[in-house]
Amino acid sequence: ADFNYGADEYDAEGNEEPKALPEGSETMPYIDESPTMSPQLSARGQDSGDGVSPTPTDGLGTGGERDAGKGLEMRKLVLSGFLASEEIYINQLEALLLPMKPLKATATTSQPVLTLQQIETIFYKIQDIYEIHKEFYDSLCPKVQQWDSNVTMGHLFQKLASQLGVYKAFVDNYKIALETAEKCSQSNYQFQKISEELKVKGPKDSKESHTSVTMEALLYKPIDRVTRSTLVLHDLLKHTPADHPDYPLLQDALRISQNFLSSINEDIDPRRTAVTTPKGETRQLVKDGFLVELSEGSRKLRHVFLFTDVLLCAKLKKTAVGKHQQYDCKWYVPLADLVFPSPEESEHCPQVHVIPDHELEDMKMKISAIKSEVQKEKANKGQSRAIERLKKKMFENEFWLLLNSPAIPFRIHNRNGKSYLFLLSSDYERSEWREAIQKLQKKDLQAFVLSSVELQVLTGSCFKLRTVHNIPVTSNKDDDESPGLYGFLHVIVHSAKGFKQSANLYCTLEVDSFGYFVSKAKTRVFRDTTEPQWNEEFEIELEGSQSLRILCYEKCYDKTKINKDNNEIVDKIMGKGQIQLDPQAVQTKNWHMDVIEMNGIKVEFSMKFTSRDMSLKRTPSKKQTGVFGVKISVVTKRERSKVPYIVRQCIEEVEKRGIEEVGIYRISGVATDIQALKAVFDANNKDILVMLSDMDINAIAGTLKLYFRELPEPLLTDRLYPAFMEGIALSDPAAKENCMMHLLRSLPDPNLITFLFLLEHLKRVAEKEPINKMSLHNLATVFGPTLLRPSEGESKGHLTLASDIWSHDVMAQVQVLLYYLQHPPISFTELKRNTLYFSTDV
């Protein structure tokens, strides 16, 4: 969670808080008492043995004196910052106490605003806390103002720590105080007006005389303060010489404070909310995140909050600059009424309009191109305005992608009528939401209806309680955050064990790219087993990825459950797990073996990573007897053929039984199968045909792609590459046609005939797009770089950033192939005969 108090934060409060924290920024802290806070771990404390006061040293050396001077100077800075925040804190307590006297005065009249009992509960111990801190402030202030190096103030902190018992009483009463204040506000308009706007005095030297803060926000301050005081002690110790008289006193004060914090930590929950369930229990936030909702036929980004007994769907309100943000509740479903409709029940639900893959791919290319421009601007120390403009454009594009790429339906139904539909890009996330809801539903939940006030309070608490603050797009990342990995991750899914009974099992792999997770690969189904042995290898393209997820499924063959909606995943998740992709660990040449444990199941896998510039190399084969990595002219001459045998055989097999396969050429085949086929073709083995007929069709498609990728020179040649790039950029259609045809005619015959043969095949594949989901654009995206990307020698001159050349050139390579795919049929003989095509030379 985000309750991360940096050790300098008390200072920031001192400098910034004259503005007064917006009410929305409050949340119950989980008070950090991690080892870093312990003085024994700070540099200065190491020689002090077990933390008892060390023996003073006789005079420090010159270096020591300089350090000590610097330390004492730091002490002054630490104390000044703390003093400023202490002044604000006292003013806040004063503001809380201000209405107490008049409220008490009316309590004994015939028209009390609050009863004495209620006043006692709401303002419990505030007066005592105020007096303790006022005395502390009045004693510390002159010491800091008339600063000299011998000043001692450890005893003041020690005294402050010894009075922490008052805080314990305050914390124990805190929840009741809040609830009482809440109830009194709802039932008494006068008190509501008072508690909505308490005036807090600004610091002495501040321009602002007063700020308005709510009572709820102020009641929270004492809890926050304990943490701040502890952090100050931690920092003071760091900058106090071990032989200074204050050192043991500060150590003692820190020990008391830390013990106190760990004792109250158990009483405080970081996800507190002032709203209670019908049974009077505190309603807590369990999970929140951004999901895409399909609402009235259009996609909307929502922030969804799962509380102990209710699912609430909200959106951020647009607010004026300077105002703190708030959520607007779109709908809520009590968990007692929430059901997940099964696929067959959801047939009447709206059908999901899926955005064509090529539009998503286009957008990804655009984003990559903008990223490269941002990098270039930064490298050239470009204007920040230009960079901001690019970043804004990138955010808009990434936001579009986030909204439009999810397609896995996640349906929520309220027993009392309405159904809602979310779209997710990851089945892992869908199951996380489902499991979190089902776990809460195991408890004895009651149905309820929230009053408008309750709903307002609950929605108001969302802003404070949320754990996910930013929309998951990469443009929201800070510059120093890890950009993730770009390139290819090779994963071998070996096996799994730990299943209780035999089942038909398979795995899928998800990685995050462009900020969200998508499924990238799927093993075959291992039938009727408790110990599946897949041993399948996949090559997964990474686009800024930081995590790999593995999901293990039981295949469902029940016809009634298999929905007409392609994206409905009805198979049962047996387990799921994820690992971080650590750039250091992954970027070795060797395989790295790992195990993910999930629900008692262990999945074994290995992985290695290839950066993108490494994977773009074309390396000629040392053996000229095979077909992979050998010039196409050498192969056709040897075979006495016009189109290499491997190309003809793979295409024939795909057309025979793979043309209706969803994602043919896009979904990666099993790498071990592809390697086996490669070896058979290279050896010209007589069993090729038998092997092809038995082999998984994605492996055959993968072998064809690999053949073109491994050609020592691209099919459309290095020599003509610059001309193809220029030709595709022409605007005049007639000039473009003339140029593009002339370029084809300039290719060597084996290259041209093979290219035209492949072109006609890809067009036939695209004719089946309604079934196989592979459009001309998808096929151009898959094959463009494979057929055009120049070999190493050619690209050396302009190989800068791998991602730079990647985004811009790849776009053009895709466009070149798309141009020919969309062109009416091109015949070899016509092309050779028709001189009109090349009336202008390139």
Side-chain angles (χ1 to χ4, degrees), residues 106-178:
T106 64
T108 50
T109 65
S110 58
Q111 286 186 309
V113 179
L114 301 182
T115 65
L116 280 171
Q117 179 61 49
Q118 287 168 331
I119 296 167
E120 182 56 38
T121 306
I122 294 170
F123 298 97
Y124 186 66
K125 294 291 179 193
I126 301 286
Q127 184 71 44
D128 297 1
I129 291 174
Y130 170 76
E131 282 163 13
I132 289 168
H133 280 268
K134 185 85 176 79
E135 185 191 340
F136 172 76
Y137 177 84
D138 290 344
S139 315
L140 184 62
C141 196
K143 287 179 180 285
V144 176
Q145 281 167 351
Q146 292 130 36
W147 179 259
D148 75 55
S149 54
N150 300 321
V151 94
T152 59
M153 40 70 211
H155 58 288
L156 298 178
F157 279 94
Q158 198 180 26
K159 184 176 178 190
L160 188 66
S162 69
Q163 293 167 311
L164 280 171
V166 176
Y167 276 91
K168 174 78 176 123
F170 175 84
V171 169
D172 289 344
N173 178 71
Y174 174 72
K175 212 161 82 177
I176 306 155
L178 267 192

Side-chain angles (χ1 to χ4, degrees), residues 286-316:
V286 178
K287 180 175 173 59
D288 69 305
F290 289 96
L291 295 181
V292 173
E293 186 188 9
L294 198 64
S295 168
E296 293 165 7
S298 65
R299 292 166 177 254
K300 308 276 190 210
L301 190 67
R302 305 292 195 215
H303 199 147
V304 181
F305 295 86
L306 174 61
F307 289 93
T308 322
D309 63 341
V310 63
L311 184 76
L312 185 141
C313 175
K315 73 168 210 177
L316 259 182

Side-chain angles (χ1 to χ4, degrees), residues 559-586:
K559 286 280 184 288
T560 59
K561 285 190 181 155
I562 296 170
N563 197 307
K564 290 192 273 290
D565 182 350
N566 287 328
N567 293 299
E568 187 74 63
I569 301 167
V570 294
D571 299 336
K572 183 181 169 198
I573 296 179
M574 305 298 284
K576 61 185 195 309
Q578 74 173 5
I579 54 157
Q580 291 303 106
L581 295 174
D582 171 19
Q584 269 67 47
V586 182

Side-chain angles (χ1 to χ4, degrees), residues 76-88:
K76 184 183 176 187
L77 290 173
V78 168
L79 284 168
S80 314
F82 183 56
L83 206 57
S85 71
E86 189 71 4
E87 183 192 345
I88 291 159

Side-chain angles (χ1 to χ4, degrees), residues 216-278:
E216 186 189 354
L218 288 179
L219 280 171
Y220 171 76
K221 296 295 176 189
I223 287 181
D224 198 22
R225 197 68 200 161
V226 187
T227 316
R228 301 286 161 99
S229 315
T230 310
L231 293 173
V232 164
L233 285 166
H234 172 55
D235 273 17
L236 274 176
L237 264 163
K238 218 165 22 184
H239 300 295
T240 301
D243 60 346
H244 192 286
D246 273 348
Y247 193 80
L249 302 174
L250 291 170
Q251 247 186 349
D252 192 40
L254 181 63
R255 183 184 52 75
I256 297 168
S257 303
Q258 282 185 321
N259 287 342
F260 172 72
L261 284 186
S262 45
S263 73
I264 67 165
N265 249 349
E266 289 149 24
D267 310 334
I268 296 177
D269 189 282
R271 295 165 174 190
R272 178 251 339 152
T273 137
V275 186
T276 53
T277 65

